[in-house]
Amino acid sequence: MEIDDHPYGDVLRKEMMPNIWCSGCRIGRIKNVFIESIQQLGYDPDKCSVVSGIGCSSRIAGYLNLDTIHATHGRAIPTALGVKLANPELNVCVMGGDGDILGIGGNHFLALGRHGHDVNVYCMNNYGYSMTGFQHGPTTPLGARTVTTSGGNPYSPVNPVAVALAVGYTFVARSTSGHPYHLIDCMVSAMKNRGPSFIEILVPCMLYERRNKIKSLEALFLEKAEIKETMSKEDIDQGDFMKRISLGIFRDAPIRERSPLSFVKSTKKAAAKKFNIRFKPRASGIKYMQIRMEGTGGQGIVQGGKTMLLAAMNMDPKLNSTLTKRYGPEMKGGSCVTDMLLSNQSVDYPFVAVPDLLLMMSDIVAKERDNEVIINDKGTIVVDESMVDLSLLDNLPKTVKVFKVPATQIARENFRVVVANNVLMGFVCKVTSIIDKNCLKAAILKSAPPGTEEMNLAAFESGYKFKSS
Ligand code: SF4
């Protein structure tokens, strides 16, 4: 039969065929069950989105002619959540394996149940990482042989249904690839449920069968499984699937009451209006400029760099720019460097070798370099004299311009120490004239936390007005 004539042809990406699954694998059947379910529900394919991670089961997303995302390993659930939040009208489904959803993405699986968003998770449990040759995973049965447990798995498996119930999924079911009509019922009910839904779907993997000398897992599922109307604690516990498998719906509850998501309203536009800062973009004339800001973690070295670059872009949108930052593992209190490049050409290498302009907020970086201050012979240094040992500057070439401002002292006495970087920036703006004043003020306004705009701008103005000796 040509794919165009197939009843599911519209929902399949024929250019992706044939599929990659082993002959005898049942993942393809789950794909068909899913298509049947959305067709039964009458979903418009444009209103249905499938997100998957990595693995054999996750390949389903590639074969469905819907809006699909093949996300990174373990990240299908947060990606799906992003889709749902962006467009709540969509029916969003995650399809993946036990390794992807319960192993690598395990924490996202827990979080979705707790947070209560309307996303459907269909987890194909084949008891291990099949795509990479069958390593053991979170659901590998005790004693099972895999590539990484050749003597038998010594770890107790996770029970996906029990975990889903515990963390608050509002729909929880178990089915198998050998029970397609039961699985369609489960999927249809899951998609009707308005909370987070989870279905564990047992799927045979040829690699598991081979290693564990099982002739046909599907035959075993059909023999041992019982579809139940009401579920007991024993049915949740599941136990040894070689002896007994309980299928059915464990929970189909209305969505829990929870506060609606509220987005924090940005105050940036209102602040810009209140302070009425206007600027006119212009050609800066900058060809290639290397700027470095260095100091101690916690002094706003990275934030200061971002503000300067934003200001440069405000002034001359045609400039190319890069920002790189370095700080030690201790972060707060350790050395911190932000490098900025401004160029009228494209930038190939984003690090500053020898800065033309150096903003020194402390001397920690120079001291780590055996007291060496790196600056272009014709460059400019603006130094926070309340924080820097000025003797470090004694041996600089006479051609280097040095400006001193007690930025931290000014900030401490008039505002708060945290705005010392803006005091320094105000002073830099005045003595170098590289970036227009209002372009910098607009950039500060954009990066200042709500409620602190006035203080940050006042700190900038105090640096701008400071007269260096
Ligand atoms: S490795 Fe296992 S799960 Fe993957 S396609 Fe083959 S049979 Fe299916």
Side-chain angles (χ1 to χ4, degrees), residues 254-310:
I255 186 162
R256 304 185 306 275
E257 282 300 312
R258 68 176 170 82
S259 334
L261 275 185
S262 59
F263 294 96
V264 179
K265 213 172 159 205
S266 171
T267 56
K268 299 291 172 201
K269 274 190 185 153
K273 212 169 170 187
K274 181 177 164 195
F275 294 101
N276 193 25
I277 296 169
R278 294 169 194 274
F279 58 85
K280 222 174 171 184
R282 66 170 175 89
S284 62
I286 292 174
K287 287 188 180 147
Y288 185 73
M289 177 171 278
Q290 303 186 69
I291 305 174
R292 175 169 287 161
M293 191 161 180
E294 61 183 39
T296 307
Q299 285 187 303
I301 303 296
V302 176
Q303 188 55 52
K306 285 182 186 168
T307 305
M308 280 195 82
L309 273 202
L310 183 59

Short mmCIF file of all heavy atoms in Angstrom, two decimals, residues 254-310:
data_model
loop_
_atom_site.label_atom_id
_atom_site.label_comp_id
_atom_site.label_asym_id
_atom_site.label_seq_id
_atom_site.Cartn_x
_atom_site.Cartn_y
_atom_site.Cartn_z
N PRO A 254 -9.69 14.99 38.34
CA PRO A 254 -9.70 16.36 37.82
C PRO A 254 -8.42 17.07 38.26
O PRO A 254 -7.80 16.67 39.25
CB PRO A 254 -10.93 17.00 38.46
CG PRO A 254 -11.42 16.04 39.47
CD PRO A 254 -10.69 14.74 39.34
N ILE A 255 -8.06 18.08 37.54
CA ILE A 255 -6.82 18.79 37.86
C ILE A 255 -6.91 19.40 39.25
O ILE A 255 -7.97 19.87 39.67
CB ILE A 255 -6.49 19.87 36.80
CG1 ILE A 255 -5.13 20.47 37.09
CG2 ILE A 255 -7.57 20.93 36.72
CD1 ILE A 255 -4.52 21.20 35.93
N ARG A 256 -5.80 19.33 39.96
CA ARG A 256 -5.75 19.91 41.30
C ARG A 256 -5.88 21.43 41.19
O ARG A 256 -5.52 22.02 40.20
CB ARG A 256 -4.41 19.62 41.97
CG ARG A 256 -4.03 18.21 42.05
CD ARG A 256 -2.74 18.07 42.85
NE ARG A 256 -1.65 18.90 42.36
CZ ARG A 256 -0.83 18.53 41.37
NH1 ARG A 256 -1.01 17.40 40.74
NH2 ARG A 256 0.15 19.32 40.99
N GLU A 257 -6.40 21.99 42.27
CA GLU A 257 -6.44 23.46 42.34
C GLU A 257 -5.02 23.96 42.47
O GLU A 257 -4.25 23.44 43.28
CB GLU A 257 -7.24 23.91 43.57
CG GLU A 257 -8.73 23.82 43.40
CD GLU A 257 -9.24 24.68 42.27
OE1 GLU A 257 -8.84 25.86 42.20
OE2 GLU A 257 -10.02 24.18 41.43
N ARG A 258 -4.63 24.86 41.67
CA ARG A 258 -3.32 25.49 41.88
C ARG A 258 -3.40 26.91 41.35
O ARG A 258 -4.23 27.23 40.48
CB ARG A 258 -2.19 24.73 41.22
CG ARG A 258 -2.19 24.74 39.73
CD ARG A 258 -0.97 24.04 39.18
NE ARG A 258 -1.11 23.87 37.77
CZ ARG A 258 -0.85 24.80 36.88
NH1 ARG A 258 -0.43 25.99 37.28
NH2 ARG A 258 -1.01 24.59 35.60
N SER A 259 -2.56 27.76 41.91
CA SER A 259 -2.62 29.16 41.50
C SER A 259 -2.24 29.25 40.02
O SER A 259 -1.33 28.57 39.59
CB SER A 259 -1.63 30.01 42.28
OG SER A 259 -1.37 29.44 43.49
N PRO A 260 -2.94 30.08 39.28
CA PRO A 260 -2.56 30.23 37.87
C PRO A 260 -1.17 30.84 37.77
O PRO A 260 -0.75 31.57 38.67
CB PRO A 260 -3.62 31.18 37.32
CG PRO A 260 -4.20 31.86 38.52
CD PRO A 260 -4.00 30.97 39.70
N LEU A 261 -0.49 30.52 36.67
CA LEU A 261 0.84 31.10 36.47
C LEU A 261 0.69 32.60 36.27
O LEU A 261 -0.16 33.05 35.53
CB LEU A 261 1.47 30.53 35.19
CG LEU A 261 2.20 29.22 35.30
CD1 LEU A 261 2.84 28.91 33.96
CD2 LEU A 261 3.29 29.31 36.37
N SER A 262 1.46 33.35 36.96
CA SER A 262 1.40 34.79 36.71
C SER A 262 2.78 35.24 36.26
O SER A 262 3.78 34.82 36.81
CB SER A 262 0.96 35.52 37.96
OG SER A 262 1.87 35.26 38.98
N PHE A 263 2.80 36.03 35.25
CA PHE A 263 4.06 36.53 34.75
C PHE A 263 4.32 37.90 35.36
O PHE A 263 3.41 38.72 35.46
CB PHE A 263 4.03 36.62 33.22
CG PHE A 263 3.94 35.27 32.59
CD1 PHE A 263 2.71 34.75 32.20
CD2 PHE A 263 5.07 34.48 32.42
CE1 PHE A 263 2.62 33.49 31.64
CE2 PHE A 263 4.98 33.22 31.86
CZ PHE A 263 3.76 32.73 31.47
N VAL A 264 5.56 38.11 35.76
CA VAL A 264 5.90 39.41 36.35
C VAL A 264 5.86 40.45 35.24
O VAL A 264 6.46 40.27 34.19
CB VAL A 264 7.31 39.36 36.97
CG1 VAL A 264 7.68 40.70 37.56
CG2 VAL A 264 7.37 38.27 38.03
N LYS A 265 5.12 41.51 35.49
CA LYS A 265 4.99 42.55 34.46
C LYS A 265 6.26 43.37 34.44
O LYS A 265 6.73 43.83 35.48
CB LYS A 265 3.78 43.42 34.81
CG LYS A 265 3.10 43.94 33.59
CD LYS A 265 1.81 44.63 33.97
CE LYS A 265 1.45 45.56 32.83
NZ LYS A 265 0.64 46.64 33.24
N SER A 266 6.81 43.54 33.27
CA SER A 266 8.04 44.32 33.16
C SER A 266 7.77 45.79 33.45
O SER A 266 6.78 46.35 33.01
CB SER A 266 8.62 44.18 31.76
OG SER A 266 9.68 45.09 31.63
N THR A 267 8.63 46.38 34.25
CA THR A 267 8.46 47.80 34.58
C THR A 267 9.41 48.65 33.75
O THR A 267 9.51 49.84 33.95
CB THR A 267 8.77 48.02 36.07
OG1 THR A 267 10.10 47.52 36.32
CG2 THR A 267 7.79 47.32 36.97
N LYS A 268 10.14 47.98 32.82
CA LYS A 268 11.19 48.70 32.09
C LYS A 268 10.63 49.85 31.25
O LYS A 268 11.19 50.94 31.24
CB LYS A 268 11.95 47.73 31.16
CG LYS A 268 12.64 46.61 31.89
CD LYS A 268 13.80 47.13 32.72
CE LYS A 268 14.35 46.04 33.58
NZ LYS A 268 15.12 46.50 34.72
N LYS A 269 9.51 49.61 30.55
CA LYS A 269 8.98 50.67 29.68
C LYS A 269 8.53 51.85 30.52
O LYS A 269 8.78 53.01 30.18
CB LYS A 269 7.81 50.12 28.86
CG LYS A 269 8.29 49.45 27.60
CD LYS A 269 7.13 49.14 26.68
CE LYS A 269 7.67 48.34 25.49
NZ LYS A 269 6.68 47.50 24.92
N ALA A 270 7.85 51.52 31.66
CA ALA A 270 7.37 52.59 32.53
C ALA A 270 8.54 53.39 33.07
O ALA A 270 8.50 54.63 33.14
CB ALA A 270 6.56 51.98 33.67
N ALA A 271 9.63 52.68 33.44
CA ALA A 271 10.79 53.37 33.99
C ALA A 271 11.42 54.27 32.93
O ALA A 271 11.78 55.42 33.20
CB ALA A 271 11.82 52.35 34.48
N ALA A 272 11.51 53.76 31.69
CA ALA A 272 12.12 54.55 30.61
C ALA A 272 11.32 55.83 30.40
O ALA A 272 11.88 56.91 30.19
CB ALA A 272 12.17 53.73 29.33
N LYS A 273 9.97 55.70 30.51
CA LYS A 273 9.11 56.86 30.33
C LYS A 273 9.30 57.85 31.48
O LYS A 273 9.43 59.06 31.28
CB LYS A 273 7.65 56.38 30.30
CG LYS A 273 6.77 57.21 29.43
CD LYS A 273 5.46 56.51 29.26
CE LYS A 273 4.48 57.45 28.60
NZ LYS A 273 3.15 56.90 28.56
N LYS A 274 9.38 57.30 32.69
CA LYS A 274 9.51 58.15 33.87
C LYS A 274 10.80 58.97 33.82
O LYS A 274 10.80 60.16 34.13
CB LYS A 274 9.50 57.24 35.11
CG LYS A 274 9.60 58.00 36.42
CD LYS A 274 9.52 57.05 37.59
CE LYS A 274 10.02 57.73 38.86
NZ LYS A 274 10.29 56.78 39.92
N PHE A 275 11.90 58.34 33.45
CA PHE A 275 13.19 59.06 33.47
C PHE A 275 13.47 59.78 32.14
O PHE A 275 14.43 60.52 32.05
CB PHE A 275 14.33 58.09 33.82
CG PHE A 275 14.21 57.58 35.23
CD1 PHE A 275 13.70 56.32 35.49
CD2 PHE A 275 14.57 58.39 36.31
CE1 PHE A 275 13.57 55.85 36.80
CE2 PHE A 275 14.45 57.92 37.61
CZ PHE A 275 13.94 56.65 37.85
N ASN A 276 12.62 59.53 31.16
CA ASN A 276 12.68 60.25 29.89
C ASN A 276 14.11 60.37 29.34
O ASN A 276 14.61 61.46 29.11
CB ASN A 276 12.06 61.64 30.09
CG ASN A 276 11.81 62.31 28.75
OD1 ASN A 276 11.65 61.62 27.74
ND2 ASN A 276 11.81 63.64 28.74
N ILE A 277 14.75 59.23 29.17
CA ILE A 277 16.12 59.25 28.64
C ILE A 277 16.06 58.96 27.14
O ILE A 277 15.62 57.90 26.73
CB ILE A 277 16.99 58.19 29.36
CG1 ILE A 277 17.10 58.57 30.82
CG2 ILE A 277 18.37 58.08 28.73
CD1 ILE A 277 17.68 57.50 31.69
N ARG A 278 16.44 59.92 26.37
CA ARG A 278 16.41 59.76 24.90
C ARG A 278 17.81 59.79 24.34
O ARG A 278 18.66 60.51 24.89
CB ARG A 278 15.60 60.89 24.27
CG ARG A 278 14.15 60.86 24.62
CD ARG A 278 13.49 62.17 24.18
NE ARG A 278 12.19 62.29 24.79
CZ ARG A 278 11.09 61.77 24.27
NH1 ARG A 278 11.15 61.10 23.14
NH2 ARG A 278 9.93 61.89 24.88
N PHE A 279 18.03 59.06 23.32
CA PHE A 279 19.35 59.11 22.66
C PHE A 279 19.16 58.93 21.17
O PHE A 279 18.15 58.38 20.73
CB PHE A 279 20.30 58.03 23.22
CG PHE A 279 19.78 56.64 23.08
CD1 PHE A 279 19.98 55.92 21.92
CD2 PHE A 279 19.08 56.04 24.13
CE1 PHE A 279 19.49 54.64 21.79
CE2 PHE A 279 18.57 54.76 24.00
CZ PHE A 279 18.78 54.06 22.83
N LYS A 280 20.12 59.42 20.45
CA LYS A 280 20.05 59.32 18.98
C LYS A 280 21.19 58.44 18.52
O LYS A 280 22.36 58.78 18.76
CB LYS A 280 20.20 60.71 18.38
CG LYS A 280 19.26 60.98 17.25
CD LYS A 280 19.38 62.40 16.81
CE LYS A 280 18.57 62.57 15.54
NZ LYS A 280 18.72 63.89 15.03
N PRO A 281 20.93 57.30 17.90
CA PRO A 281 22.03 56.48 17.39
C PRO A 281 22.87 57.27 16.39
O PRO A 281 22.36 58.12 15.66
CB PRO A 281 21.32 55.31 16.70
CG PRO A 281 19.96 55.28 17.31
CD PRO A 281 19.62 56.68 17.64
N ARG A 282 24.16 57.02 16.39
CA ARG A 282 25.07 57.72 15.48
C ARG A 282 26.24 56.80 15.14
O ARG A 282 26.49 55.80 15.84
CB ARG A 282 25.58 59.00 16.12
CG ARG A 282 26.47 58.75 17.34
CD ARG A 282 27.15 60.03 17.81
NE ARG A 282 27.90 59.82 19.04
CZ ARG A 282 29.18 59.45 19.10
NH1 ARG A 282 29.85 59.21 17.97
NH2 ARG A 282 29.79 59.29 20.26
N ALA A 283 26.97 57.14 14.09
CA ALA A 283 28.17 56.38 13.75
C ALA A 283 29.24 56.70 14.79
O ALA A 283 29.55 57.87 15.03
CB ALA A 283 28.65 56.75 12.37
N SER A 284 29.77 55.68 15.44
CA SER A 284 30.71 55.93 16.54
C SER A 284 32.14 56.20 16.06
O SER A 284 32.93 56.81 16.77
CB SER A 284 30.76 54.70 17.45
OG SER A 284 31.24 53.60 16.70
N GLY A 285 32.45 55.75 14.86
CA GLY A 285 33.83 55.91 14.37
C GLY A 285 34.79 54.89 14.96
O GLY A 285 35.97 54.89 14.66
N ILE A 286 34.27 53.98 15.80
CA ILE A 286 35.14 52.95 16.41
C ILE A 286 35.49 51.92 15.33
O ILE A 286 34.61 51.40 14.63
CB ILE A 286 34.41 52.25 17.59
CG1 ILE A 286 34.23 53.24 18.73
CG2 ILE A 286 35.20 51.02 18.06
CD1 ILE A 286 33.41 52.71 19.90
N LYS A 287 36.81 51.64 15.19
CA LYS A 287 37.23 50.61 14.22
C LYS A 287 37.42 49.28 14.95
O LYS A 287 36.88 48.26 14.57
CB LYS A 287 38.53 51.03 13.55
CG LYS A 287 38.31 52.16 12.56
CD LYS A 287 39.55 52.43 11.77
CE LYS A 287 39.26 53.56 10.79
NZ LYS A 287 40.41 54.39 10.56
N TYR A 288 38.20 49.31 15.98
CA TYR A 288 38.44 48.09 16.76
C TYR A 288 38.89 48.52 18.15
O TYR A 288 39.92 49.20 18.27
CB TYR A 288 39.53 47.24 16.08
CG TYR A 288 39.75 45.90 16.75
CD1 TYR A 288 38.82 44.88 16.62
CD2 TYR A 288 40.89 45.66 17.52
CE1 TYR A 288 39.02 43.65 17.22
CE2 TYR A 288 41.09 44.42 18.13
CZ TYR A 288 40.15 43.42 17.97
OH TYR A 288 40.34 42.21 18.57
N MET A 289 38.12 48.19 19.14
CA MET A 289 38.48 48.62 20.49
C MET A 289 38.35 47.45 21.46
O MET A 289 37.36 46.73 21.46
CB MET A 289 37.56 49.77 20.92
CG MET A 289 37.83 50.23 22.34
SD MET A 289 36.96 51.72 22.74
CE MET A 289 38.05 52.92 22.04
N GLN A 290 39.40 47.30 22.28
CA GLN A 290 39.39 46.23 23.29
C GLN A 290 39.19 46.87 24.67
O GLN A 290 39.98 47.72 25.07
CB GLN A 290 40.72 45.47 23.28
CG GLN A 290 41.07 44.89 21.91
CD GLN A 290 42.32 44.03 21.98
OE1 GLN A 290 42.32 42.97 22.57
NE2 GLN A 290 43.39 44.50 21.38
N ILE A 291 38.15 46.46 25.35
CA ILE A 291 37.84 47.03 26.68
C ILE A 291 37.84 45.89 27.69
O ILE A 291 37.29 44.80 27.43
CB ILE A 291 36.46 47.73 26.68
CG1 ILE A 291 36.39 48.78 25.57
CG2 ILE A 291 36.17 48.36 28.03
CD1 ILE A 291 35.02 49.42 25.40
N ARG A 292 38.43 46.13 28.83
CA ARG A 292 38.40 45.11 29.89
C ARG A 292 37.93 45.76 31.19
O ARG A 292 38.32 46.90 31.51
CB ARG A 292 39.79 44.51 30.09
CG ARG A 292 39.87 43.53 31.26
CD ARG A 292 41.17 42.76 31.26
NE ARG A 292 41.19 41.77 30.19
CZ ARG A 292 42.31 41.20 29.73
NH1 ARG A 292 43.48 41.54 30.22
NH2 ARG A 292 42.24 40.30 28.77
N MET A 293 37.09 45.04 31.91
CA MET A 293 36.68 45.48 33.25
C MET A 293 37.12 44.36 34.18
O MET A 293 36.82 43.19 33.93
CB MET A 293 35.17 45.67 33.29
CG MET A 293 34.66 46.35 34.53
SD MET A 293 33.01 47.00 34.22
CE MET A 293 32.63 47.73 35.80
N GLU A 294 37.89 44.69 35.20
CA GLU A 294 38.34 43.62 36.10
C GLU A 294 38.18 44.02 37.55
O GLU A 294 38.18 45.21 37.90
CB GLU A 294 39.78 43.22 35.77
CG GLU A 294 40.82 44.31 35.91
CD GLU A 294 42.22 43.85 35.48
OE1 GLU A 294 42.35 43.10 34.50
OE2 GLU A 294 43.18 44.25 36.16
N GLY A 295 38.01 43.02 38.39
CA GLY A 295 37.82 43.29 39.81
C GLY A 295 37.50 42.01 40.55
O GLY A 295 37.94 40.93 40.17
N THR A 296 36.67 42.16 41.57
CA THR A 296 36.35 41.04 42.45
C THR A 296 34.90 40.62 42.22
O THR A 296 34.04 41.48 42.01
CB THR A 296 36.54 41.48 43.92
OG1 THR A 296 37.84 42.03 44.05
CG2 THR A 296 36.37 40.33 44.89
N GLY A 297 34.66 39.31 42.25
CA GLY A 297 33.28 38.81 42.09
C GLY A 297 32.37 39.47 43.12
O GLY A 297 32.71 39.54 44.29
N GLY A 298 31.22 39.98 42.67
CA GLY A 298 30.31 40.68 43.57
C GLY A 298 30.34 42.19 43.35
O GLY A 298 29.48 42.92 43.85
N GLN A 299 31.33 42.68 42.57
CA GLN A 299 31.41 44.13 42.31
C GLN A 299 30.62 44.54 41.06
O GLN A 299 30.66 45.71 40.68
CB GLN A 299 32.88 44.55 42.12
CG GLN A 299 33.68 44.61 43.41
CD GLN A 299 35.07 45.20 43.15
OE1 GLN A 299 35.83 44.69 42.34
NE2 GLN A 299 35.39 46.28 43.84
N GLY A 300 29.95 43.60 40.42
CA GLY A 300 29.18 43.94 39.23
C GLY A 300 30.07 44.09 38.00
O GLY A 300 29.79 44.92 37.13
N ILE A 301 31.12 43.27 37.92
CA ILE A 301 32.05 43.36 36.80
C ILE A 301 31.38 42.86 35.51
O ILE A 301 31.48 43.49 34.46
CB ILE A 301 33.32 42.52 37.07
CG1 ILE A 301 34.00 42.97 38.37
CG2 ILE A 301 34.28 42.55 35.90
CD1 ILE A 301 34.52 44.38 38.36
N VAL A 302 30.66 41.74 35.61
CA VAL A 302 30.00 41.20 34.41
C VAL A 302 28.83 42.12 34.02
O VAL A 302 28.65 42.47 32.86
CB VAL A 302 29.51 39.76 34.67
CG1 VAL A 302 28.74 39.24 33.46
CG2 VAL A 302 30.70 38.85 34.96
N GLN A 303 28.06 42.54 35.03
CA GLN A 303 26.92 43.41 34.74
C GLN A 303 27.40 44.72 34.12
O GLN A 303 26.78 45.24 33.18
CB GLN A 303 26.14 43.68 36.04
CG GLN A 303 24.84 44.41 35.85
CD GLN A 303 23.94 43.70 34.85
OE1 GLN A 303 23.67 42.51 34.97
NE2 GLN A 303 23.50 44.41 33.82
N GLY A 304 28.49 45.24 34.65
CA GLY A 304 29.05 46.48 34.11
C GLY A 304 29.42 46.31 32.65
O GLY A 304 29.15 47.18 31.81
N GLY A 305 30.04 45.17 32.33
CA GLY A 305 30.43 44.90 30.94
C GLY A 305 29.21 44.83 30.03
O GLY A 305 29.20 45.41 28.95
N LYS A 306 28.19 44.14 30.52
CA LYS A 306 26.97 44.02 29.70
C LYS A 306 26.36 45.41 29.45
O LYS A 306 25.89 45.72 28.37
CB LYS A 306 25.94 43.14 30.42
CG LYS A 306 26.27 41.66 30.39
CD LYS A 306 25.16 40.88 31.08
CE LYS A 306 25.50 39.42 31.20
NZ LYS A 306 24.59 38.72 32.10
N THR A 307 26.36 46.22 30.51
CA THR A 307 25.79 47.57 30.38
C THR A 307 26.58 48.38 29.35
O THR A 307 26.00 49.08 28.51
CB THR A 307 25.81 48.28 31.75
OG1 THR A 307 25.14 47.44 32.68
CG2 THR A 307 25.13 49.63 31.70
N MET A 308 27.91 48.30 29.41
CA MET A 308 28.72 49.06 28.45
C MET A 308 28.46 48.63 27.02
O MET A 308 28.34 49.45 26.11
CB MET A 308 30.21 48.88 28.77
CG MET A 308 30.65 49.77 29.91
SD MET A 308 32.42 49.89 30.00
CE MET A 308 32.78 51.10 28.78
N LEU A 309 28.35 47.30 26.82
CA LEU A 309 28.11 46.82 25.45
C LEU A 309 26.73 47.25 24.96
O LEU A 309 26.57 47.67 23.81
CB LEU A 309 28.19 45.29 25.40
CG LEU A 309 29.55 44.68 25.17
CD1 LEU A 309 29.41 43.27 24.62
CD2 LEU A 309 30.40 45.49 24.22
N LEU A 310 25.74 47.14 25.84
CA LEU A 310 24.39 47.55 25.45
C LEU A 310 24.39 49.03 25.08
O LEU A 310 23.77 49.45 24.10
CB LEU A 310 23.44 47.28 26.63
CG LEU A 310 21.97 47.57 26.40
CD1 LEU A 310 21.42 46.76 25.22
CD2 LEU A 310 21.17 47.25 27.65
#
